[in-house]
Amino acid sequence: MSASPSVSGKSDAAAAESYDVAVVGAGFAGMYMLYKLRGLGLSVRVYEQGGDVGGTWYWNRYPGARCDVESMQYSFSFSDELQQEWDWSERYAPQPEILRYANHVADRFDLRRDIQLDTTVERAIFDESANAWSVTTSDGNTVSANYVVLATGCLSNARMPDIEGLQDFKGKLYHTGHWPHEPVDFSGQRVGVIGTGSSAIQSVPVIAAQASHLTVFQRTANFSIPARNAALTPEEREAIRAKYPEIRRFAREQARNGIYTELPDRGALDDGDNERRSKYESRWARGGLTFMSVYNNLALDKAANDTAADFVRDKIAEIVRDPDTAKLLQPTTHPIGTKRICIDTDYFATFNRPNVTLVDIKSHPIERVLPHAVRAGGRDYEVDALVLATGFDAMTGSVARIDIAGRNGQTLNQKWAEGPKTYLGLMSAGFPNLFIITGPGSPSVLSNMIVSIEQHVDWITEAIGWMRERDLVAIEADKDAEDKWVAHVNEVAHSTLYPQANSWYMGANIPGKPQIFMPYIGGVGAYRQICNDVAAKGYEGFAMSAAPARRAAALSWVSSFS
Ligand code: NA7
């Protein structure tokens, strides 16, 4: 163990820095991982491709960007001082405030000295004889690390759509997931937005208020619930802080999605029409993601789901004045909630503005982008600026960009060619000492990410600590345990309505990507219990081994009895 990097005794040119742990990414996951590993006294190097900490909140700077989980809950719980001292200004903090919070965490816990910014990890190769990873970064450096932790984020790999002519566009081109750092002002401009997922739903009302004209190109209509965002008063903040022990405990142990809310005890069809409508009305008025937890069977039973979907479709028809536009905005292709439900501020009402046009590119697909227009259904829509709100290569995209080779030189991309395979979403067989934070096969994007990040980081830290106490140097998922887990994740997913949607949960937004339901739907509380049980049983389903010298000693000890 070393508190600072060690340099091998080779010549300068061949000298390799070595760390106990290399962490990829300095978003919330990477920062907390660093904090916890320091607590074990380990040497850690964090590599971050962005120019600062914050991960997805560093890149997603589009107008109107906010978290869809309330800030008092989308925040770290590991330090009571931190959660007591940070004042969230609004129910859903805007992106700049979340990024300030990330920076505050980095400074408050003195994390920056172990974080190397503007550096992409390009390659990680496992050396079986040394039980260590050789990690090569974009600055040409190669370091050795006993463990690698991928804290690369689930929604960090912005995806450029394959639309013909995009490269010939002469106006300003933006992607919501890779937004410029300098302010963008659309005043007086004709703007096109392609995509109607969460990023578009947040940005469209803000862009519409600036642009001379906004054209929204919609392929799939989406369900969205009003955020009812508002400033938090000091009294509201204090009331939540006072209840933090219970809120955090509930989010970790009881909630399915890591969010503190009432647990429903009945299904949608157990109530009569009036009672049900009044419950939906009250959740609609309250706003936010908890709309989906009015009843306990909305994700399971199509007839139950239809009651919620119909309610939202009716609301859209009430809000949007032009009946044809309202009809286009009403989602019909998937059960409500099976694509991540969006929350918005005035999204549907924005289509009542005279300067906003909705174009249905499902029935009139985009043919190509021209230097100053988008051509769809034989018609040219002139634009000065084009915003691609087309999403991410989610969950696996950021991992796939790194050339990772494990045992016998097998790459992770080869292993995951048919879809990601992990044990508990934490490790993949054949890749010893390589951990993934909120990887595919864990609740991750179906949850309040910070709750899931904290759980994974704590689990990984405890596993490494447990190994060090026993002089163990390698941990690897068993193939058998992994196969069973993959089958379980799949079975649970297919007992719900989720696979009915062509969502990024399924990889369906990326042409050619295997269609496998990636996150674990079993719920964060149940999942945490499974992970804790695995640890309590001596890391059941993981193989652990000692260093070769120790193994040799153990073997000679055994052979002396034979
Ligand atoms: P999403 O939710 O993946 O949305 C992307 C949108 O872009 C969606 O409406 C897509 O339509 C559309 N899209 C993607 N590719 C194309 C092409 N080629 N042509 C036309 N339209 C296209 O990404 P977001 O960034 O909005 O949100 C991601 C998550 O971030 C969100 O769930 C929150 O958790 C935060 P489709 O539905 O595929 O027909």
Side-chain angles (χ1 to χ4, degrees), residues 158-180:
R159 180 178 140 66
M160 294 299 281
D162 305 317
I163 300 176
E164 220 182 302
L166 206 50
Q167 67 286 353
D168 302 327
F169 184 62
K170 295 276 183 282
K172 286 278 196 187
L173 186 66
Y174 304 95
H175 192 296
T176 47
H178 209 107
W179 201 259

Side-chain angles (χ1 to χ4, degrees), residues 68 155 161-163 176 194-200 219-220 222 339-340 361-362 366 389-392 502 504 509:
D68 56 8
L155 296 167
D162 305 317
I163 300 176
T176 47
I194 300 180
T196 47
S198 178
S199 302
R219 192 163 69 180
T220 309
N222 242 320
K339 284 187 170 202
R340 186 165 174 126
I361 56 168
K362 182 73 120 201
I366 294 178
T390 46
F392 302 86
N502 287 328
W504 54 259
N509 62 329

Side-chain angles (χ1 to χ4, degrees), residues 274-324:
N274 291 343
E275 177 67 13
R276 192 167 52 235
R277 177 142 196 114
S278 114
K279 283 186 183 167
Y280 286 143
E281 284 287 1
S282 105
R283 286 297 172 106
W284 182 266
R286 187 200 293 180
L289 287 180
T290 60
F291 181 83
M292 286 305 289
S293 45
V294 181
Y295 292 112
N296 61 16
N297 60 348
L298 295 182
L300 301 173
D301 179 333
K302 180 66 168 54
N305 186 286
D306 284 343
T307 64
D310 284 344
F311 175 86
V312 175
R313 283 190 282 263
D314 288 351
K315 284 288 179 197
I316 295 169
E318 276 171 31
I319 297 167
V320 180
R321 285 197 287 270
D322 173 54
D324 293 337

Side-chain angles (χ1 to χ4, degrees), residues 497-549:
L497 302 174
Y498 278 88
Q500 292 187 20
N502 287 328
S503 66
W504 54 259
Y505 296 144
M506 295 282 290
N509 62 329
I510 306 293
K513 189 166 172 172
Q515 302 229 349
I516 285 197
F517 197 84
M518 293 186 281
Y520 178 55
I521 301 193
V524 297
Y527 172 79
R528 175 183 295 266
Q529 193 57 53
I530 293 169
C531 292
N532 289 350
D533 290 348
V534 162
K537 289 179 191 157
Y539 295 90
E540 188 178 52
F542 292 95
M544 292 185 177
S545 51

Side-chain angles (χ1 to χ4, degrees), residues 93-167:
Q95 172 272 338
E97 187 171 340
I98 303 175
L99 191 58
R100 273 201 302 283
Y101 174 75
N103 276 274
H104 172 72
V105 170
D107 293 331
R108 192 188 192 288
F109 298 100
D110 185 25
L111 301 178
R112 293 186 193 278
R113 63 189 155 87
D114 291 319
I115 300 175
Q116 184 173 325
L117 300 171
D118 296 309
T119 309
T120 305
V121 170
E122 294 180 337
R123 204 162 39 251
I125 314 260
F126 188 64
D127 177 347
E128 296 188 38
S129 59
N131 274 318
W133 287 89
S134 167
V135 177
T136 304
T137 45
S138 52
D139 56 357
N141 204 16
T142 296
V143 304
S144 165
N146 295 112
Y147 299 93
V148 170
V149 180
L150 301 176
T152 40
C154 295
L155 296 167
S156 302
N157 196 2
R159 180 178 140 66
M160 294 299 281
D162 305 317
I163 300 176
E164 220 182 302
L166 206 50
Q167 67 286 353

